[in-house]
Structure formats: structure tokens, C-alpha cells
Amino acid sequence: MTPPAPRAVTPLAASAPAPAPSAPVVSSGPTVSASPVSATGGTSAPMTPMLPPYSMGAGGTHGAATPPAAVTPAAPAQQASPSTGAQTPGSTVVAAGEGTRRAVAGAKASQGPSREGKMAEQLCLELVAAAPAALLDWAVAVFRPSEDAQPVLLVTSNMGPSYIPQGVLLPSTARNLLSSVSEGTRTALTGAMDPVHIITEYARHDVPQGTVVAVATTSTGSSAGAAELIRVSRQAALAMPAPVGAGRLHRLRVAWPDLASVVAKVPADRAVHLAGAVTSLAAVGSDGSGPAVRDEGSLKILTTLGQGTMPSDAEWTAFRDAAALAEGETGAMRPPPGQLLDRLELDRYMSRYQLERIREMLLLWRWLPPSLEDVAYCAAEAGTDITALTRLLEDAEFTREAQTL
């Protein structure tokens, strides 16, 4: 069957999501058949990966659909001042000490951020500029592991386990916090509403001898304890260009470095084919249980792409808007600032988060060719078996090398 000729694709501007319903409407949808990839890298039957919608040359463009404008949590209500009246000598001393502390803090604030504060602020501005519409908050901390150690830049978002949106490139000197901590810490801090709380809790439990020197954040309800706290203006970030260039790392390299090394070895002329295979593995699964996504919109897009055709502009728009709405609902599952999810709440939240990454992966096919690095990142974040994913990419690489001998 001859693939259809490519048609003109006009990118559509993202629209703001509709008000969230009390519960998402889910349909069982049509049945999608695919040959699952086994954990050993083989197939239970000849694998039929998702077909590229049509022949895609190097001249195509790629990118994810732009989600709606980011939502910043509201600042907490200001605490009422205690009523005036007679004071004991002890309370007078406490009040005087509190007044001195506030005066010192006010004097420091009037002088502007410190050198460390400016470092954190600059990177936080760059993160917002790279993904201004992302539905998340950022925090960047200057962390000193010990008194004589060089400071480290820690970065985290408050979506999933430090999710990084498409287009965000991190400097090689920064660490994506929840990608580089113990499993217990990652589990405990995933889904926290306040990204500053994620950093301070990490420092308190994982490196108690370390010190958070300064924190810059887009969150309005944060408290950094004794550390310098800088509020970052989204409006200021919008006037900045997204950072690019040497020393910047793709999100796959930051969060999944071993997988990124495998992807880097894939020949350019095999990237689109493998993007289809990875999408099939992540969306359909490797255990034969059927598609991981079961809502009608996702199944419709998945089925259309699997047939080697492109969804219509109207279908892409409806799917993008539904995905943005569902992502907002997932974010609403997080607890108030300062609180953490319990185990049951975390399981529910991560299940929804992983479905959002599959939808994001499908949206990468909106403009062609899709980035194999971004497809692999979404697949890994969606909970795809990393061993099966790695072997799929390595087997394809081996097959390519064998064909050239």
C-alpha cells in the first residue's frame, strides 16, 4: 500500500483548557492490535511497529503542541498580626528580636540578590523562558554539600518526578534533583506542590550536613528557611530568549543518561522508524495486555498513526485540548504546599502522570519528523520497561550495522 502524499500542516496555537470536570470521561475505545516487544528484546511475533505517517525527509519540522499558559499556585493568605495590648518583658524581647530580624532581611532585600542568588535566579528565568506555557513551577537552588565543597545547582519542577518539558535544555553544571536521588527520596517527594519544599526536604534528609544557600522559584507560596529566597517573575522570563548552545543538555541526557547514550548511537536514517517502534512499545505495552491508554481520543490517534496515516487538523486540535485539560486535572491531585502524597495518593497521581507522558509522546507526531530523544524521554517517564526499551534500540542498531557489512 502506497503511503498517502504529505499534506500541508498548519500549526495551531494552543488554547486555554476548559474548566476541569469532576472526573475525566474515559472510553474503552477500539481494540488496537500490535506485536508486543518482550523483555529480552525479541518479539512474540514479527513486530509491526507503528508506521511513520508518510515518508519524512530531513526538511520536516518537529515539536510538541504548545500547552496552555502555566498556572502558578496562589500565594497563601497573609497571617494576621497579633492584637496589641500589655506585653510581658519576655514578649517585648521576642518582639524586639523579631523586629531586628525583619530589619536585617529588609536591608538585604534592598541590596538585591547575592552572587549565589543571581546564579539561581538566572537559571530559573531561563527555564521559564524555554517552556513558558508549561503547567508547573520551578525551583533552582545553590546547594553547598559541605563547608569546603563547590556549590551545586539543583533544579526541580513540581510535576511528577522533576518533569522537564520539551525544549528545556539544562546546563551541564546543574542537576535535575529527583533524577539523581535515592528511590526512597524520589518516592517521598514526587507530587509535592511546592518545588522549594522538595529541595529543602532533600537537603534535610539526604545530605543533612549540606546547606541550601539560595533558592530562586516561580512559586508564590514557598519558604526556604534560612536560605536566601528570590521570587522569579514569569513576565521577566517571557522577554528572554530560550537558552541554546554548547554545554546545554537535552532532557533525556539529564534524566535518563544511559538511555540517551543508546539513542545517540542510532543512525539518523533509522531515527523515525525507531521513534515509531518506541511509541508502539510505550503506548501498547510489551506484555500483550493492550494499549496503556484507553481514552477514546488517544486510541483514535494511536490507531490512525498505526495505519500509516495522519490525523486531521481537527483531530489533532481536539486531542491536544483534551490532553491539556487532563494534565490540569492531574496537577490538581497534588496536596497543598508543605504536604506530601501518601502511598495510595502517589500511586494514583503517578498513574495519571504516566498517561500524560504517553499523550505527550503521541503529540510529538503532530509535526514531523518527531525527535527520537523526546519520544524516548516520554516513553521512559511513562513507565515503559527500560530494559525492553534499551534492547529495542540496541537491536535496531545492531541490525543496521549488520546490513552494512
Side-chain angles (χ1 to χ4, degrees):
M1 177 176 176
T2 304
R7 57 186 177 79
V9 178
T10 304
L12 300 174
S15 58
S22 57
V25 179
V26 181
S27 168
S28 60
T31 301
V32 180
S33 60
S35 299
V37 177
S38 68
T40 60
T43 56
S44 56
M47 179 168 180
T48 306
M50 188 185 78
L51 300 175
Y54 44 72
S55 177
M56 290 171 282
T61 60
H62 67 272
T66 305
V71 178
T72 304
Q78 187 176 0
Q79 253 188 343
S81 301
S83 58
T84 58
Q87 296 181 330
T88 64
S91 64
T92 304
V93 172
V94 171
E98 177 66 13
T100 301
R101 187 191 66 78
R102 291 181 179 178
V104 172
K108 288 183 177 179
S110 65
Q111 297 171 3
S114 65
R115 183 175 65 86
E116 292 84 359
K118 289 178 180 178
M119 289 171 52
E121 181 183 35
Q122 178 63 28
L123 180 53
C124 195
L125 284 167
E126 292 174 358
L127 295 173
V128 177
L135 293 169
L136 49 78
D137 274 309
W138 293 103
V140 178
V142 178
F143 177 71
R144 198 178 293 279
S146 62
E147 190 172 329
D148 55 349
Q150 288 295 320
V152 178
L153 281 171
L154 300 179
V155 176
T156 187
S157 74
N158 65 343
M159 180 184 290
S162 288
Y163 167 72
I164 306 173
Q166 185 190 21
V168 173
L169 302 175
L170 285 178
S172 57
T173 54
R175 285 171 46 196
N176 189 44
L177 183 58
L178 293 188
S179 299
S180 56
V181 298
S182 65
E183 182 65 29
T185 299
R186 181 165 50 251
T187 299
L189 297 180
T190 292
M193 177 68 79
D194 182 5
V196 178
H197 183 66
I198 295 175
I199 287 175
T200 55
E201 285 297 294
Y202 158 75
R204 188 160 67 94
H205 292 289
D206 277 32
V207 195
Q209 74 275 20
T211 304
V212 177
V213 180
V215 184
T217 183
T218 57
S219 176
T220 59
S222 303
S223 173
E228 178 184 8
L229 182 64
I230 301 97
R231 308 283 185 188
V232 170
S233 164
R234 291 183 181 274
Q235 287 69 29
L238 294 178
M240 296 176 56
V244 295
R248 296 277 171 171
L249 303 180
H250 187 275
R251 57 181 179 168
L252 181 66
R253 174 66 63 182
V254 172
W256 303 92
D258 293 340
L259 187 59
S261 298
V262 176
V263 170
K265 298 176 183 177
V266 172
D269 60 349
R270 298 284 292 167
V272 173
H273 171 78
L274 287 177
V278 170
T279 301
S280 292
L281 175 62
V284 178
S286 59
D287 58 359
S289 60
V293 287
R294 299 186 183 277
D295 60 285
E296 185 176 356
S298 298
L299 287 170
K300 187 173 183 179
I301 295 293
L302 183 61
T303 302
T304 303
L305 291 174
Q307 292 170 346
T309 56
M310 278 287 283
S312 66
D313 287 343
E315 289 171 332
W316 277 124
T317 301
F319 180 58
R320 180 202 61 201
D321 292 346
L325 176 61
E327 190 162 82
E329 293 171 346
T330 301
M333 298 173 66
R334 294 171 299 187
Q339 299 182 24
L340 299 174
L341 295 169
D342 63 31
R343 187 67 202 198
L344 181 59
E345 292 170 335
L346 177 63
D347 289 344
R348 291 172 179 166
Y349 173 76
M350 282 304 299
S351 177
R352 289 287 300 263
Y353 170 81
Q354 290 172 347
L355 289 177
E356 300 311 324
R357 304 289 66 80
I358 292 179
R359 294 188 181 100
E360 179 186 354
M361 180 176 60
L362 293 176
L363 280 167
L364 291 172
W365 290 88
R366 174 66 178 88
W367 295 304
L368 304 172
S371 159
L372 179 57
E373 286 181 304
D374 284 315
V375 170
Y377 174 84
C378 289
E381 290 287 306
T384 305
D385 183 84
I386 297 300
T387 300
L389 182 56
T390 301
R391 288 180 175 172
L392 171 63
L393 294 165
E394 288 177 337
D395 288 349
E397 176 194 345
F398 173 78
T399 301
R400 172 64 176 169
E401 292 175 352
Q403 289 173 347
T404 60
L405 296 178

